[in-house]
Structure formats: C-alpha cells, structure tokens
Amino acid sequence: QVQLVESGGGLVQAGGSLRVSCAASTRTFSWYAMAWFRQAPGKEREFVAAAGRSDGRTHYADSVKGRFTVSRDNAKNTVYLQMNSLKFEDTAVYYCAAGPDGRLRGVRDYDYWGQGTQVTVST
C-alpha cells in the first residue's frame, strides 16, 4: 500500500510560478513511476507529467511541455511538479499518482492516488 500526500497548491497570478510536492509513505518508492494529473471543474482528470521509476525519464502533456518540470527525489520519497508561466487554464486540482510505468497516461494505469491540491491561477 502506498499513501500519497500532496502539498504546495495555492493561488498565483497568471505568468507566475508554483511548485507542488507529493510525499509517499512507502519503502519502495523507487519501484514506482510517479505521475501528476489534474482535474478542472466539469472536466475529466487528465495526465500532466510523469517521472519513470528507474531512469527517471520524464513525460509531459503537450499543454504543459516547456512550462512544467517533474522531478523526483528517491531519498526523500517525494515527487515535485514545478509549474512556470502559469495560465488561467492551468487552474485545477492536481493529483499525484503511483504506477508501474511513467509512459502510461491513463487514469486507470495508476494504482495509488493522493487527495489532491488546489492550484488556482488568476488573470
């Protein structure tokens, strides 16, 4: 069982930056690919970014490529999402998830989920 707890969400102006974190309570953190998803009101949950489990290779949705950076610190059991040049449309609840393969982008591909953290971008 893996428990995930996100933190670092908040309110930021368009064009600003924010970093969200996800701490995992497991001794086998490095075994899991770690991903970020987001869900805006009235919309489906969508893939944002992922970091592979062994090589840490990263993957991004086209909508955030070049603006967001996912990273992981296996010694701290933590994955981060650095968000720069934020846009109003980035407003959503951001969830971290643990799964077998960072190349996978479906909600059903991930086994464990955090409770989410709200990110609001004001214009």
Side-chain angles (χ1 to χ4, degrees):
Q1 190 75 7
V2 179
Q3 292 185 331
L4 303 173
V5 179
E6 301 95 336
S7 61
L11 175 65
V12 62
Q13 288 189 332
S17 298
L18 198 64
R19 188 178 80 162
V20 291
S21 304
C22 172
S25 60
T26 174
R27 296 182 179 180
T28 56
F29 179 73
S30 63
W31 293 7
Y32 295 93
M34 298 300 298
W36 288 95
F37 286 74
R38 67 186 180 186
Q39 189 167 17
K43 295 187 176 181
E44 293 186 351
R45 194 169 299 189
E46 64 175 1
F47 173 83
V48 175
R53 52 180 180 171
S54 57
D55 58 8
R57 188 170 296 181
T58 56
H59 310 271
Y60 296 95
D62 288 343
S63 59
V64 306
K65 199 172 294 183
R67 299 189 297 122
F68 290 12
T69 302
V70 60
S71 61
R72 63 188 297 161
D73 185 337
N74 288 342
K76 295 183 178 180
N77 283 10
T78 301
V79 61
Y80 305 96
L81 184 68
Q82 176 67 43
M83 302 180 287
N84 298 329
S85 302
L86 281 160
K87 304 176 182 179
F88 175 76
E89 50 265 40
D90 294 320
T91 297
V93 177
Y94 283 71
Y95 298 89
C96 71
D101 190 334
R103 294 169 296 181
L104 301 175
R105 302 189 176 208
V107 171
R108 295 183 179 181
D109 295 323
Y110 290 83
D111 304 306
Y112 303 101
W113 293 83
Q115 83 289 346
T117 185
Q118 176 71 46
V119 172
T120 302
V121 183
S122 64
T123 57

